[in-house]
Amino acid sequence: MDEGDGGSSPTDSAGAGLLPLFGRSPVEDLEEKLRRVTEENRRLTGALDAILAGHHAHQRARAAPSPATARSPSVSTSCAARSSAGPSRQTPPPPPTAEPRPKVRTVRVPADGNSVAETVNDGYQWRKYGQKVTRDNPYPRSYFRCAFAPSCPVKKKVQRCAEDRSMLVATYEGEHNHANSTETTEFGAGQHAAGGGGGGGGSSSLPCSVSINSSGRTITLDLTNQGPGPSVVGAAVSSSREQLVAVSPEFKRLLVEEMVRQLKNDDEFVASLTNAVAARVVEKIPDPFPKW
DNA sequence: CGACTTTGACCGGCGC
DNA sequence: GCGCCGGTCAAAGTCG
């Protein structure tokens, strides 16, 4: 139930309405897609909230971590992060009745041209507490902790993908026990921290945010708006600490175009989209060779 | 001056 | 037991 793991499973939403692609502009198609995603998101959020309600009660009950928490075994679940490639040295799984493992999610986001900023933006505030060059990747890995720590135990690691330096790999550990900062504060506020980023980093609270980092400027597109109307209801642009709320159609159009550009560069998305389109095309083509 | 980032050192787990 | 490695700490530096 990982809100699509940061958009890594676009096939589902894309497959439902791909054919219109051929008669519409990419912008229109994306807007339509966003509408459907918003609907889907609303349903999933509801379900997720119900599930997390109990989980967060658990977390708050044990959320008074001592300073030594940093070395708690749960931290080493970073191994689980690597487990996306297979389980490694992580200690044996706890008994079924033990406290739940911190949820680990890996998100790939396209890095913009700014090669220095190993940051992604997910609407939460993060505090960097370390950086390390790991053995299997020449690019440094940055360690972030939620700015609400220690009450919020969430951590994330951001590292440039070794194979594709145009991608950033963000690994989230745990779940926020507070609302997204873009929701709790002024729209788009709290983006000044070095961290932030990656599609859908916000556990239950921001399953469908899109962040675009361009030349130090962050554009956060909140698709979780519950109200009626267009899915792209508002957007926040932050340049340093400067906040701007824009809702003009022109701005919306620019945002969607930027999204199109980003998605075009997302090999995974393009591949899934291609497969889905191919599948639908094959469905629609009458079979000239009746089955034997 | 406070908040945040940087970065070298340290710690603990794991494999050999 | 030793060395490697990932993760974290904490002092120093930077910025607004």
Side-chain angles (χ1 to χ4, degrees):
Chain A
M1 63 171 173
D2 274 350
E3 79 256 4
D5 275 338
S8 61
S9 60
T11 324
D12 293 343
S13 57
L18 282 172
L19 285 179
L21 264 178
F22 297 107
R24 306 163 62 172
S25 73
V27 171
E28 287 172 329
D29 183 72
L30 269 174
E31 285 183 335
E32 169 66 24
K33 199 177 298 179
L34 287 175
R35 263 193 293 278
R36 285 199 304 273
V37 168
T38 303
E39 283 293 325
E40 177 82 7
N41 167 46
R42 205 173 306 164
R43 287 198 304 272
L44 292 175
T45 301
L48 200 54
D49 283 346
I51 295 171
L52 291 177
H55 178 64
H56 285 168
H58 255 291
Q59 281 188 321
R60 290 200 180 92
R62 58 186 181 88
S66 64
T69 305
R71 297 195 185 278
S72 68
S74 65
V75 171
S76 64
T77 53
S78 57
C79 298
R82 289 193 298 273
S83 73
S84 56
S88 61
R89 51 197 260 194
Q90 177 60 355
T91 54
T97 55
E99 67 180 33
R101 290 173 302 172
K103 186 176 175 182
V104 177
R105 294 177 302 127
T106 301
V107 177
R108 282 165 55 99
V109 296
D112 64 356
N114 187 357
S115 61
V116 178
E118 306 283 343
T119 62
V120 283
N121 199 324
D122 54 12
Y124 286 95
Q125 287 182 271
W126 300 94
R127 181 164 300 169
K128 187 175 183 177
Y129 66 90
Q131 179 172 311
K132 193 87 172 178
V133 176
T134 56
R135 191 174 162 231
D136 54 348
N137 193 325
Y139 303 105
R141 173 183 297 170
S142 296
Y143 298 88
F144 296 93
R145 188 176 285 145
C146 181
F148 288 93
S151 63
C152 180
V154 182
K155 295 175 186 174
K156 82 170 176 182
K157 295 176 285 190
V158 179
Q159 188 171 31
R160 200 168 281 268
C161 183
E163 299 88 31
D164 183 3
R165 57 170 300 174
S166 67
M167 298 295 292
L168 288 178
V169 179
T171 303
Y172 294 85
E173 299 177 19
E175 295 194 46
H176 295 277
N177 53 17
H178 57 89
N180 186 313
S181 63
T182 60
E183 294 173 353
T184 55
T185 62
E186 294 266 333
F187 200 56
Q191 304 275 349
H192 64 281
S203 66
S204 64
S205 56
L206 187 60
C208 196
S209 86
V210 174
S211 297
I212 302 160
N213 225 323
S214 179
S215 306
R217 171 166 300 191
T218 300
I219 300 174
T220 300
L221 187 60
D222 185 1
L223 307 181
T224 62
N225 196 304
Q226 303 291 316
S231 54
V232 183
V233 178
V237 176
S238 67
S239 178
S240 299
R241 295 170 189 262
E242 171 184 35
Q243 309 293 335
L244 166 67
V245 174
V247 293
S248 72
E250 174 66 10
F251 187 74
K252 283 156 54 179
R253 190 182 63 79
L254 288 173
L255 282 175
V256 173
E257 285 177 355
E258 178 66 13
M259 285 179 59
V260 171
R261 193 181 63 79
Q262 295 281 335
L263 289 174
K264 279 180 181 173
N265 292 332
D266 188 338
D267 294 340
E268 207 172 323
F269 176 76
V270 171
S272 299
L273 199 56
T274 303
N275 289 338
V277 169
R280 292 299 295 260
V281 168
V282 169
E283 278 178 18
K284 294 293 178 182
I285 296 176
D287 189 357
F289 306 107
K291 290 179 178 159
W292 60 86

